[in-house]
């Protein structure tokens, strides 16, 4: 395991390579998640993200576009993912009460159980990531990550 070297005493502090560190962190988190197959019994990690969105809606069905926006992906990706999830019994499609052209997704009981298992593992991961940091430091990290995620709004053509 490699460590980040600190600048020698008396030298100006080197600026951290944030993009490199973010990429490495994302890959490490992804590998950590992938080594917990028990968390994804019945649902993949990508499907768990969709289940978390539906759980946050407290039983109210969500439109594909709403889910896509919350996950930061294209609606077509949510459509494809939801088809596999419907076949697996994790979500069901329901007609919109006010617009018959719109289909919404609702989590099934099986989806709720799969989401709970995945959520337990992510609570563990969040705890490990926050270990050794104060609440204020974690808030700074969260604010920085939100700022990084907001870069997507500046993409051309969006």
């Amino acid at each position: 395991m490699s460590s980040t070297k600190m600048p020698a005493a008396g030298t100006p502090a080197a600026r951290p390579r944030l993009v490199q560190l973010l990429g490495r962190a994302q890959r490490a988190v992804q590998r950590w998640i992938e080594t917990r197959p028990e968390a994804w019994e019945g649902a993949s990690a990508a499907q768990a993200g969709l289940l978390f969105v539906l759980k946050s809606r407290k039983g109210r069905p969500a439109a594909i576009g709403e889910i896509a926006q919350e996950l930061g992906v294209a609606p077509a990706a949510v459509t494809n993912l939801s088809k596999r999830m419907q076949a697996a019994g994790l979500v069901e499609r329901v007609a919109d009460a006010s617009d018959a052209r719109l289909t919404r997704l609702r989590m099934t009981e099986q989806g709720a159980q799969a989401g709970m298992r995945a959520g337990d593992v992510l609570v563990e991961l969040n705890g490990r990531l926050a270990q050794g940091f104060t609440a204020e430091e974690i808030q700074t990290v969260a604010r920085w990550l939100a700022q990084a995620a907001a870069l997507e709004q500046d993409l051309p053509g969006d």
Side-chain angles (χ1 to χ4, degrees):
M1 184 167 149
S2 64
S3 63
T4 305
K5 292 185 179 183
M6 298 300 291
T11 62
R15 292 184 66 100
R17 294 192 241 175
L18 298 176
V19 174
Q20 178 194 23
L21 290 170
L22 183 60
R24 287 183 63 198
Q26 190 278 329
R27 288 187 297 278
V29 166
Q30 190 65 40
R31 282 193 304 271
W32 191 93
I33 287 171
E34 289 169 356
T35 63
R36 276 44 183 198
E38 70 282 358
W40 319 119
E41 182 183 322
S44 70
Q47 291 171 340
L50 194 151
L51 292 173
F52 296 152
V53 170
L54 293 176
K55 180 180 179 184
S56 73
R57 298 183 61 87
K58 297 178 174 46
R60 291 175 295 131
I64 298 289
E66 295 166 344
I67 296 167
Q69 184 174 9
E70 196 158 336
L71 293 175
V73 299
V78 174
T79 298
N80 292 333
L81 184 63
S82 68
K83 286 178 183 177
R84 291 191 300 276
M85 293 175 74
Q86 185 178 11
L90 301 173
V91 299
E92 59 187 2
R93 293 180 183 280
V94 293
D96 185 88
S98 60
D99 185 348
R101 299 170 295 170
L102 187 61
T103 301
R104 294 185 174 271
L105 297 177
R106 179 173 45 214
M107 186 167 37
T108 63
E109 182 57 37
Q110 185 177 341
Q113 291 173 6
M116 283 180 27
R117 283 190 300 274
D120 290 344
V121 170
L122 294 181
V123 166
E124 177 189 350
L125 176 57
N126 278 321
R128 295 209 38 199
L129 291 171
Q131 196 170 12
F133 291 93
T134 66
E136 293 80 17
E137 289 171 324
I138 293 301
Q139 288 303 313
T140 299
V141 171
R143 196 181 79 207
W144 183 84
L145 290 170
Q147 182 170 311
L151 290 173
E152 190 171 42
Q153 298 169 0
D154 297 335
L155 295 175
D158 284 350

